[in-house]
Amino acid sequence: MPASYAYLGPEGTFTEVALRTLPEAATRELIPYVSVQSALDAVRTGEAEAAFVPIENSVEGGITTTLDELVAGEPLTIYREVLLSITFALLVRPGTALADIKTVTAHPAAQPQVRNWLRAHLPDALWESAASNADGARLVQEGRYDAAFAGEFAAARYGLVPLETGIHDAENAQTRFVLVGRPARPAAPTGADKTSVVLWQRDDHPGALRDLIDEFATRGINLMLLQSRPTGEGIGNYCFCVDAEGHISDRRMAEALMGLKRVCLQVRFLGSYPRADIAPGGARTLQPGTSDQEFLAASDWVARCQDGRF
């Protein structure tokens, strides 16, 4: 049996389209799962080699379902990311007119991306969420809803027709997807990488979040995502999901993570992996004093001082 990748299904999701852009997907069995949780659990139990799930969109930010699954449970590691431009079609059963639509459905993350269009064209339609956009299309096929917002490519798969296409409230909307597997050594740095971690504060005090951010800032590391998530231990108790520019093998990143490990109650490393938004080696210019060479030179200077060779 070929190695398998789990993904948020059913067939016809944006997740599947993004997954098929990975060259290695052609050599894997691609298995749809009904939820992000079940796809990631398939990796944890060994049913799948890896899982491919959405983690962030440019309209609403982090996908909380995915973030919460990565925060809790048996640790997993992010190995790849993919960016996909998103535009929706309104899929209906053949013969349905706009005036016939009383109920619509899609994944919850789709709603902020079509809210204005829905208000302008179907102000009285009742919205109900589906497990995925493709699952919404399946529910329309079964007659449970009148219309679904999904990719136009899903129409043929579910015997539907696109009544409207090119629907989006925000120009250039994108969703970021990640390939997640069991923990292993990160791939070699490319020069255009991202590191993801989850941070738990040791205690709540004025400037506590600033203290965490300073571990990155003092080493010239740019943060690309910072999102708080409740820990489930009461109101006001949060952890922080962070994406930062750089690779764990970079001296500046390694030192930042060591600093965070000292000051945080807990740090969960989610992986260092190539960025999808720029080509390898195309990362922005480092701030003075933050290159590996300068960290090594500073370390050598301290060693010489300790030996009386200053």
Side-chain angles (χ1 to χ4, degrees), residues 119-196:
R119 184 184 301 117
H121 298 87
L122 293 169
D124 299 322
L126 176 66
W127 171 284
E128 290 197 26
S129 295
S132 68
N133 297 316
D135 191 56
R138 179 184 63 80
L139 295 173
V140 172
Q141 180 190 43
E142 294 177 355
R144 295 178 56 181
Y145 299 99
D146 298 324
F149 289 102
E152 185 176 355
F153 47 80
R157 172 66 181 78
Y158 294 99
L160 305 176
V161 295
L163 188 61
E164 300 281 349
T165 60
I167 300 171
H168 55 271
D169 289 350
E171 293 289 339
N172 304 315
Q174 291 183 311
T175 295
R176 180 165 72 102
F177 301 84
V178 288
L179 184 68
V180 181
R182 287 178 289 278
R185 181 185 295 273
T190 67
D193 302 288
K194 181 182 295 184
T195 292
S196 298

Side-chain angles (χ1 to χ4, degrees), residues 242-257:
V242 176
D243 288 345
E245 278 189 323
H247 193 279
I248 192 172
S249 66
D250 298 336
R251 293 277 178 154
R252 63 189 183 280
M253 183 64 73
E255 286 203 9
L257 295 179

Side-chain angles (χ1 to χ4, degrees), residues 200-209 211 235-238 240 265:
W200 283 261
Q201 294 172 289
R202 191 174 298 278
D203 57 69
D204 188 18
H205 63 269
L209 179 57
D211 293 343
I235 297 295
N237 289 302
Y238 292 90
F240 298 91
L265 177 65

